[in-house]
Amino acid sequence: MTTFPNPARTAPSRYSTVAIILHWAIAALIAWNLVLGFEMHDAKGLAQFNLFQLHKSVGISVLLLSLARAGWRLTHRPPALPAAMPAWEKFLARAAHVGLYLIMIGMPLTGWVVVSTSPLNIPTLLFHTVPWPHLPLHDLPTATKASVNAGFGAVHMALAWGALALIALHIAGALKHMFLTRDGVIRHMLPFIGGVSR
């Protein structure tokens, strides 16, 4: 008897339109927020305050979009990697993706903890419009709150440097697939080239 592949179990040739939009939106916001994060440490007065508020706004946007991206990924199969790709390279690609998800979600979460334990207790107003609550940490004992703030601040900064390293690795991998192996992997996530999965 002839059998046919189950379309629900067949890996698509490209990421879906939603996944592609989320990917590039999150990438742009993370790049922007890394710049803002480093800029605001050199700014002073009102300029620093405005940069800090914008940094928080973009960070929460990254968090919400990343959670949406993770949920979409759990319900939509990604394209398969080329069968000829070495096992070590497949492992590295998957590990880099896991690392990027940890960055995408971990950076804004740790930043949210830092803001919520700051002795300044400055309210967050996303893009000067939407109030965003602090985590319920402000009533911790002063010493504990200071320790949490410092610890999560260090983790937040480490994740920022980790983001730079992973983004560089991700771009290097994309360029390799585009110019060296030319195996079509780069087409999985490029917009505006047609054939996008729904």
Side-chain angles (χ1 to χ4, degrees), residues 19-98:
I20 290 174
I21 291 171
L22 287 172
H23 172 89
W24 290 105
I26 293 167
L29 288 173
I30 287 177
W32 184 23
N33 224 23
L34 286 170
V35 172
L36 290 173
F38 288 111
E39 279 185 348
M40 69 186 190
H41 288 291
D42 295 327
K44 304 294 181 183
L46 183 59
Q48 185 182 57
F49 175 82
N50 288 331
L51 283 172
F52 189 64
Q53 289 294 95
L54 182 57
H55 182 74
K56 291 192 289 181
S57 299
V58 175
I60 293 300
S61 300
V62 168
L63 175 62
L64 297 177
L65 290 175
S66 298
L67 291 174
R69 176 72 181 97
W72 188 264
R73 171 65 180 80
L74 290 173
T75 56
H76 295 76
R77 291 192 66 181
L81 294 172
M85 183 183 289
W88 68 266
E89 194 171 349
K90 290 181 179 179
F91 172 81
L92 188 61
R94 293 188 179 105
H97 275 93
V98 170

Side-chain angles (χ1 to χ4, degrees), residues 56-136:
K56 291 192 289 181
S57 299
V58 175
I60 293 300
S61 300
V62 168
L63 175 62
L64 297 177
L65 290 175
S66 298
L67 291 174
R69 176 72 181 97
W72 188 264
R73 171 65 180 80
L74 290 173
T75 56
H76 295 76
R77 291 192 66 181
L81 294 172
M85 183 183 289
W88 68 266
E89 194 171 349
K90 290 181 179 179
F91 172 81
L92 188 61
R94 293 188 179 105
H97 275 93
V98 170
L100 285 169
Y101 272 103
L102 291 175
I103 293 291
M104 287 155 46
I105 295 172
M107 253 201 313
L109 281 180
T110 54
W112 193 5
V113 172
V114 170
V115 169
S116 301
T117 54
S118 169
L120 299 177
N121 197 26
I122 297 173
T124 297
L125 196 63
L126 302 181
F127 301 106
H128 302 289
T129 305
V130 180
W132 187 262
H134 288 168
L135 293 168

Side-chain angles (χ1 to χ4, degrees), residues 4 96 102 121 138 147:
F4 297 93
L102 291 175
N121 197 26
H138 194 73
S147 178

